Amino acid sequence: MGGWRNAVQEAAASKPLFLTIYTTIIVGIVATSFYVFSAIYSPSASTSTQSISTSWLSSPPLSQNGGSNFSNNISLPTDKASQPGSNQLKTIWQAPPSNSKMPPLESFKLTKELVGERAKDNVIIVTFGNFAFMDFILTWVKHLTDLDVSNLLVGAMDTKLLEALYWKGVPVFDMGSHMSTIDVGWGSPTFHKMGREKVLLINAILPFGYELLMCDTDMVWLKDPLPYLAQYPDADILTSSDQVVPTVVDDRLADWKQVGAAYNIGIFHWRPTEPAIKLAKEWKDMLLADDKIWDQNGFNELARKQTGPAIDDDSGLFYAFDGTLKLGILPESIFCSGHTYFVQAMYEQLRLEPYALHTTFQYGGTEGKRHRLREAMVFYDPPEYYDAPGGFLSFKPSIPKSLLLDGEHNLESHFSLINYQMKQIRSALAIASLLNRTLVMPPLWCRLDRLWFSHPGVLEGSMTRQPFLCPLDHVFEVNVMLKDLPQEEFGPAINIREYSFLNNPLLPQQVKESWLDVQLCQEGTEDCHASSNTSRPGLLRFPKNSTEEMFKTVFSSFKDVKVIQFSSMQGAFYSFTDKTREEKFTNRMKRYVGIWCCVENHTPGHIYYDMYWDEKPGWKPAPPQTPEEDHPPF
């Protein structure tokens, strides 16, 4: 273990690498959730783990004796004796007795025996992170256990995460990193240090003789991958990629000759073969010798020293690295990146079942990743997330067919479509603020893709449809929307939920059954008046263009209703009465939207979205013409 800890200490001096544009295309429509949940909640999933309450997600307040608040109303299988390398694995989610004490840190060292206790059929699945990513890690574990896969281990980069996972019954080991427990920004020095930890971890585990499926925490398993990986016993390494143009249209390995994008090391499988161990060592030595090399760049540089020939006519494997390593590229359609899943919905178009979803090609940092997984209904939140204080507000968006489908897909038509939706969302955010409710965001439609570089609207050769259901972070700054902005400048916070929220199977029955439909009407028409009287239970006819006071007066009678859904947002809200509050709300709204990127043959090529575009006569989508113009609309 001394070598492992020394290697970690060496990596602690790592510095950030400012990445090239090509490789930065890793950061990030929502596809239909049918396939996702048919995979997650299929009959083949473990019935015991399906019955687990989401209360297991809450971070356990550790008592002095190490007590846990792990849910007691959980149906779990009988515990099995743990034997190294056996198929009988100790049950996950079975928390230690509440009156027991936390074992010493020494007992969580990464050893061959520890791995052997969790391995099954000689395979171990590993992820790692710090406490800031605990909800991602719990989601990652839960998906695997729902798929009846339990040969997994989680590496804890800080003691806080290690203790929290231990008290939840999640198999955990100490990486000895002693890193910060806070979120680390993409590209930061700590981010790059985490990348080096992955390489050190691979080098530590491979000599134990087990196959290793290494995963980033910002991905989820939608289908048991082990049978798929076992189809390629000759492979030394199987890796995912950032390929966005399909190279195959079925579930075979990607055509390595057509994969021009980077090999993505967020999902990859290693066998403890001599060529794989040799590559892992050279990779580690490269990174420790030069702290400016990003871990993924280093892997690509080594793996691509040689590409080809194919090892046979059928498998899709090819020789790489030093000419002896047998490499395979996992198909981009079913081992999905954030682009092939959320934007292209490639697996859906090809009628395939996805195995994995990795939140690359996205915006908004960690909050953006979390929101995308929530949009796909594959992220697990604690029960209070689904029953927020004050209740929820939603509305049925209305989009004219002409804005969605007519004419060319270009900057003008894209921004016209977005602006039309944005105005409705602005009204909904105002009403949510007045009523102190959490806004369920509507589905967002786009005509053009968003990327980090110039492009013609969609990537050539990709399967992106126009228009497409686009992730919220393509237009809105999700990280800003979820940030605690100072109230003295931006007014009260407005909580949001993902567009799929009300369809999530985890939504409790008491929320589903407490519902008020609000039908906008023209004041003066029958049963259309600003009062809380309803023409029938569950339905309220409410005048269009109502003011702040009218909303507060009428809806004060419905504070106990969990969900208020408006039939439309067209003309729903007229104005604030409190002008100071309106000014603060405006300050908040201006920061909620981001940019579209990027216009070809123009520097800069980005165009700022403007939440108040309709208050600027003649507003047109155009990139900044001078450096002075290159700023958000505030």
Side-chain angles (χ1 to χ4, degrees):
M1 282 306 297
W4 163 253
R5 293 194 178 275
N6 289 339
V8 171
Q9 291 170 359
E10 287 182 74
S14 300
K15 297 178 181 179
L17 169 64
F18 193 81
L19 304 177
T20 62
I21 291 179
Y22 173 73
T23 53
T24 59
I25 304 176
I26 299 178
V27 191
I29 283 187
V30 174
T32 56
S33 58
F34 175 80
Y35 285 111
V36 176
F37 276 88
S38 65
I40 299 172
Y41 296 97
S42 64
S44 62
S46 171
T47 56
S48 59
T49 54
Q50 284 178 354
S51 62
I52 297 179
S53 165
T54 50
S55 60
W56 56 269
L57 281 161
S58 303
S59 298
L62 301 181
S63 62
Q64 289 183 344
N65 68 350
S68 167
N69 70 341
F70 192 87
S71 177
N72 291 321
N73 59 346
I74 297 173
S75 172
L76 288 168
T78 305
D79 193 18
K80 300 175 184 177
S82 298
Q83 299 177 6
S86 75
N87 289 343
Q88 293 186 332
L89 303 180
K90 188 174 181 181
T91 302
I92 297 176
W93 304 121
Q94 185 163 341
S98 59
N99 60 353
S100 63
K101 291 186 177 181
M102 181 77 189
L105 198 61
E106 192 78 6
S107 63
F108 292 95
K109 280 185 175 180
L110 179 65
T111 63
K112 182 176 182 179
E113 291 70 30
L114 178 66
V115 176
E117 288 177 359
R118 294 304 323 168
K120 180 179 180 181
D121 299 328
N122 211 52
V123 179
I124 189 71
I125 309 173
V126 175
T127 193
F128 67 99
N130 64 2
F131 187 78
F133 290 88
M134 178 151 172
D135 54 351
F136 283 89
I137 291 169
L138 293 176
T139 292
W140 182 86
V141 174
K142 181 69 162 57
H143 275 282
L144 285 172
T145 56
D146 278 357
L147 294 166
D148 206 22
V149 177
S150 55
N151 48 322
L152 61 91
L153 274 171
V154 177
M157 303 185 80
D158 58 66
T159 305
K160 188 176 182 181
L161 175 66
L162 188 147
E163 292 182 353
L165 292 178
Y166 170 77
W167 290 114
K168 288 186 179 297
V170 174
V172 60
F173 66 91
D174 178 25
M175 293 183 65
S177 306
H178 306 300
M179 293 183 65
S180 169
T181 60
I182 63 173
D183 188 4
V184 296
W186 190 91
S188 68
T190 309
F191 173 87
H192 290 293
K193 183 177 184 294
M194 288 181 71
R196 280 164 165 70
E197 295 280 357
K198 179 189 294 184
V199 181
L200 297 172
L201 191 53
I202 291 169
N203 275 272
I205 294 177
L206 283 182
F208 295 161
Y210 296 100
E211 293 183 29
L212 170 64
L213 177 53
M214 176 62 70
C215 315
D216 283 355
T217 58
D218 62 339
M219 61 81 56
V220 295
W221 291 106
L222 307 175
K223 188 177 179 181
D224 180 359
L226 299 181
Y228 184 93
L229 302 174
Q231 294 179 99
Y232 303 97
D234 294 331
D236 297 304
I237 298 175
L238 294 168
T239 181
S240 58
S241 78
D242 289 333
Q243 184 71 17
V244 294
V245 176
T247 64
V248 292
V249 295
D250 50 28
D251 62 357
R252 292 175 297 165
L253 289 177
D255 183 343
W256 58 274
K257 293 180 180 178
Q258 296 184 40
V259 176
Y263 304 151
N264 189 291
I265 62 175
I267 306 171
F268 62 163
H269 179 256
W270 294 67
R271 287 193 171 89
T273 61
E274 185 177 336
I277 292 173
K278 180 182 178 183
L279 172 56
K281 184 180 184 304
E282 288 197 24
W283 188 16
K284 179 188 73 173
D285 293 344
M286 169 193 282
L287 296 183
L288 295 181
D290 186 348
D291 58 12
K292 292 182 173 60
I293 299 177
W294 182 39
D295 57 340
Q296 181 162 290
N297 279 359
F299 177 79
N300 275 268
E301 181 179 331
L302 290 172
R304 292 176 184 268
K305 278 185 176 180
Q306 176 178 331
T307 51
I311 70 167
D312 55 40
D313 295 333
D314 303 314
S315 69
L317 301 174
F318 63 100
Y319 289 104
F321 178 44
D322 60 357
T324 67
L325 183 128
K326 298 170 184 174
L327 182 63
I329 313 301
L330 297 169
E332 55 282 337
S333 59
I334 51 179
F335 290 84
C336 307
S337 69
H339 200 279
T340 62
Y341 188 91
F342 290 110
V343 177
Q344 298 187 54
M346 189 184 290
Y347 76 90
E348 182 189 34
Q349 295 195 69
L350 295 175
R351 299 295 186 264
L352 300 172
E353 293 184 43
Y355 280 87
L357 162 57
H358 189 191
T359 53
T360 56
F361 291 87
Q362 54 78 223
Y363 309 88
T366 303
E367 295 290 1
K369 292 173 180 286
R370 188 180 286 109
H371 193 83
R372 284 214 187 175
L373 294 175
R374 286 169 170 166
E375 286 182 327
M377 296 192 290
V378 296
F379 196 80
Y380 293 104
D381 283 289
E384 55 268 24
Y385 181 82
Y386 302 97
D387 192 0
F392 303 98
L393 176 77
S394 71
F395 70 96
K396 296 179 179 179
S398 57
I399 305 174
K401 169 185 170 294
S402 58
L403 283 179
L404 198 63
L405 300 173
D406 290 359
E408 294 183 4
H409 297 288
N410 54 33
L411 285 174
E412 288 70 26
S413 61
H414 170 74
F415 272 84
S416 294
L417 173 62
I418 294 296
N419 287 347
Y420 191 88
Q421 297 172 89
M422 192 184 296
K423 187 175 180 180
Q424 296 179 52
I425 292 170
R426 187 181 75 200
S427 294
L429 286 164
I431 296 170
S433 177
L434 293 176
L435 303 184
N436 195 28
R437 286 182 173 267
T438 296
L439 177 64
V440 179
M441 298 296 289
L444 190 65
W445 287 92
C446 292
R447 282 187 168 223
L448 302 183
D449 197 356
R450 176 184 177 181
L451 295 158
W452 288 268
F453 52 87
S454 300
H455 62 96
V458 298
L459 290 173
E460 187 176 351
S462 71
M463 298 183 70
T464 304
R465 294 170 287 194
Q466 291 178 291
F468 64 95
L469 192 63
C470 57
L472 188 66
D473 62 44
H474 268 211
V475 175
F476 288 83
E477 296 287 281
V478 176
N479 53 321
V480 176
M481 298 180 81
L482 298 174
K483 185 179 180 181
D484 288 329
L485 298 174
Q487 287 201 29
E488 57 271 17
E489 184 178 356
F490 301 103
I494 310 170
N495 293 321
I496 63 167
R497 292 293 186 268
E498 62 282 4
Y499 81 88
S500 56
F501 178 77
L502 296 175
N503 294 319
N504 196 312
L506 296 178
L507 194 71
Q509 196 65 29
Q510 70 264 21
V511 174
K512 296 177 183 178
E513 293 177 351
S514 180
W515 194 287
L516 175 68
D517 282 313
V518 178
Q519 187 178 81
L520 293 180
C521 54
Q522 199 65 45
E523 191 168 14
T525 58
E526 186 180 358
D527 293 331
C528 186
H529 40 76
S531 73
S532 58
N533 296 324
T534 61
S535 56
R536 64 179 174 83
L539 175 67
L540 172 69
R541 285 173 57 78
F542 186 71
K544 290 183 177 181
N545 298 312
S546 292
T547 63
E548 172 182 345
E549 290 304 320
M550 291 169 67
F551 272 96
K552 287 181 176 179
T553 300
V554 172
F555 288 98
S556 62
S557 301
F558 299 101
K559 285 185 176 179
D560 294 333
V561 175
K562 300 287 187 180
V563 181
I564 294 178
Q565 179 168 272
F566 278 72
S567 61
S568 172
M569 272 294 145
Q570 295 285 61
F573 179 67
Y574 180 68
S575 67
F576 286 91
T577 304
D578 185 338
K579 294 305 176 184
T580 300
R581 179 167 188 168
E582 181 176 33
E583 182 180 344
K584 293 178 179 180
F585 176 79
T586 300
N587 288 340
R588 177 179 289 273
M589 291 301 101
K590 288 179 177 179
R591 287 158 177 80
Y592 271 19
V593 288
I595 62 170
W596 179 84
C597 195
C598 290
V599 178
E600 292 186 292
N601 304 317
H602 197 286
T603 303
H606 52 258
I607 302 174
Y608 292 96
Y609 290 107
D610 190 339
M611 188 73 96
Y612 290 92
W613 61 273
D614 56 321
E615 297 181 3
K616 299 177 180 178
W619 187 95
K620 296 289 184 183
Q625 301 301 307
T626 66
E628 291 73 26
E629 294 179 6
D630 191 6
H631 62 82
F634 55 83

